Amino acid sequence: MLKHHISRVLIMDRDRIAGIITKKDIGYRLRRYDPAWRRRPLDNDPVSAIMSRDILSMSPDSSIHDALMFMVTHQISGFPVVDQGMVLGIVTKSDMMRSSLVATLDLPVTGVMHDVPTVTRKHSLDHVIDQMKDGCGKVVVAGEEGFLAGLISESDLTFSQEGRDQLEKPLAGEIMRSPVITLPISARTGEVIAEMTTRHISSIVITSDLEIKGIITRDDIIGEVVQ
């Protein structure tokens, strides 16, 4: 995932899908209060220990709109395309953001954005995970006077242990991404979509005079398209 900048990996048994692993599956296992067996170094676990075996797939002749509805209905960010049991490819929300259907969306960001959980640089990894689970999978790190200092996504969470001892847990300020890509509160969804597709990111923080006003994610954009 780290090498190829991807968010999910299909697990194959010969020519058939056996399961799927996402960044979320790995990242959320770092929660301190999980059972002890879950806190072993991840390198010691077979992929079968954390992969999801409930595979949701679509056929290659499915429409883009149906695929978007499928993702929203099942709350998934990607799915394999399967024909007669054989995997032909995979479709993700990143792919969908480049579709002509999504490109037609034109709304003010104020009608699409929502609040985002906020932490400080000194908050623990466990607190960050709890905030992510309760929110949109993103956490804003606020600096002095509440101004935007950084952003933590599921990707940052997943790879936060890269090169670390499993028992050594970083603080929010150590894994946050900075600088953060932002747009002004006067922006429209077309600008959001353009920034997401060009920069290969899944969210945009909306600000006004450096003050955090909200966040728009790919899920928000896709949700508006299928309404």
Side-chain angles (χ1 to χ4, degrees), residues 96-106 190 193 225:
M96 289 299 181
M97 292 295 289
R98 298 192 297 270
S99 70
S100 58
L101 190 59
V102 171
T104 62
L105 187 68
D106 182 30
I193 294 167
V225 172

Side-chain angles (χ1 to χ4, degrees), residues 6 17 100 162:
I6 56 177
I17 303 177
S100 58
E162 184 72 15

Side-chain angles (χ1 to χ4, degrees), residues 21 75 159 183 187 191 203 206:
I21 293 179
Q75 297 183 329
F159 303 124
L183 281 174
E191 297 171 72
S203 62
I206 306 301

Side-chain angles (χ1 to χ4, degrees), residues 137-220:
K138 317 285 181 184
V139 172
V140 162
V141 182
E144 296 179 1
E145 300 181 3
F147 291 147
L148 180 62
L151 179 73
I152 302 175
S153 67
E154 289 171 350
S155 294
D156 304 315
L157 180 66
T158 300
F159 303 124
S160 64
Q161 291 298 99
E162 184 72 15
R164 292 176 180 267
D165 185 290
Q166 184 71 4
L167 298 179
E168 178 191 354
K169 294 200 174 183
L171 299 177
E174 298 177 72
I175 64 173
M176 73 180 190
R177 185 183 312 170
S178 182
V180 181
I181 306 302
T182 66
L183 281 174
I185 202 165
S186 59
R188 298 186 71 83
T189 53
E191 297 171 72
V192 173
I193 294 167
E195 286 290 321
M196 287 183 177
T197 53
T198 301
R199 298 179 181 272
H200 306 288
I201 55 178
S202 59
S203 62
I204 294 285
V205 175
I206 306 301
T207 61
S208 177
D209 296 327
L210 300 180
E211 183 181 352
I212 303 165
K213 291 298 184 180
I215 192 170
I216 297 180
T217 67
R218 276 190 314 227
D219 289 350
D220 300 322

Side-chain angles (χ1 to χ4, degrees), residues 89-130:
I90 190 167
V91 175
T92 69
K93 286 181 178 176
S94 294
D95 300 321
M96 289 299 181
M97 292 295 289
R98 298 192 297 270
S99 70
S100 58
L101 190 59
V102 171
T104 62
L105 187 68
D106 182 30
L107 297 170
V109 296
T110 51
V112 183
M113 70 183 192
H114 54 82
D115 293 337
V116 58
T118 302
V119 300
T120 69
R121 297 173 187 265
K122 295 184 178 180
H123 269 116
S124 68
L125 180 64
D126 291 340
H127 181 72
V128 170
I129 293 173
D130 286 342

Side-chain angles (χ1 to χ4, degrees), residues 41-77:
L42 294 179
D43 286 348
N44 293 339
D45 287 340
V47 291
S48 58
I50 61 172
M51 72 183 188
S52 172
R53 299 174 187 273
D54 184 17
I55 306 299
L56 299 173
S57 64
M58 296 193 78
S59 64
D61 58 351
S62 301
S63 70
I64 292 176
H65 184 271
D66 286 346
L68 289 170
M69 283 295 298
F70 187 71
M71 288 178 171
V72 171
T73 301
H74 294 283
Q75 297 183 329
I76 56 176
S77 57

